[in-house]
Amino acid sequence: PRPHLGGNINSRKDTSQVYAGLSWEWSFWGSWFAGFNLGGAVHDGKLKTLKTDRKELGCRLLFRESIDVGYRFGGRHGISGFLDHISNAKIFDRNEGLENWGIRYGYRF
């Protein structure tokens, strides 16, 4: 495993997050890879709300899991599709969880 640090910024002023944890990665078919990440996240979303278009996340510090599949190029660069999930693992009453998916650019130091 290797450490990771990152963030998701919501441009609509909904829930943004910063996260850290450990990553595992497996290479296959030359430069293709798949990965799994496990760690924690801190977010600025709603803890409790009556609005139906917002999620109740229960607490600021949440568990985070993520998977991705991508392609590495130029030695240190990579691009991947990802799916991540944050939640409080039912430690608190409110735990709707939040999923994000998208495309990620990565650079290995």
Side-chain angles (χ1 to χ4, degrees), residues 58-84:
C59 62
R60 289 279 164 231
L61 182 60
L62 300 175
F63 296 102
R64 180 181 177 275
E65 307 84 33
S66 176
I67 58 171
D68 60 337
V69 175
Y71 184 78
R72 193 148 323 279
F73 58 95
R76 297 186 177 267
H77 305 273
I79 190 157
S80 62
F82 73 90
L83 171 65
D84 71 27

Side-chain angles (χ1 to χ4, degrees), residues 18 40-43 47 57-63 87-88 91-92:
V18 294
V42 177
H43 68 91
L47 302 183
L57 298 173
C59 62
R60 289 279 164 231
L61 182 60
L62 300 175
F63 296 102
S87 75
N88 65 39
I91 295 172
F92 294 89

Side-chain angles (χ1 to χ4, degrees), residues 1-82:
R2 71 177 195 282
H4 69 263
L5 176 66
N8 291 331
I9 298 171
N10 189 300
S11 61
R12 292 186 180 182
K13 299 188 189 233
D14 286 336
T15 304
S16 295
Q17 61 181 282
V18 294
Y19 55 84
L22 294 174
S23 297
W24 290 263
E25 188 176 284
W26 299 272
S27 296
F28 59 96
W29 291 336
S31 296
W32 289 91
F33 66 90
F36 172 74
N37 307 296
L38 185 61
V42 177
H43 68 91
D44 64 355
K46 298 289 185 186
L47 302 183
K48 296 180 183 179
T49 184
L50 296 175
K51 295 180 180 180
T52 58
D53 65 336
R54 298 295 302 265
K55 296 212 173 191
E56 293 183 322
L57 298 173
C59 62
R60 289 279 164 231
L61 182 60
L62 300 175
F63 296 102
R64 180 181 177 275
E65 307 84 33
S66 176
I67 58 171
D68 60 337
V69 175
Y71 184 78
R72 193 148 323 279
F73 58 95
R76 297 186 177 267
H77 305 273
I79 190 157
S80 62
F82 73 90

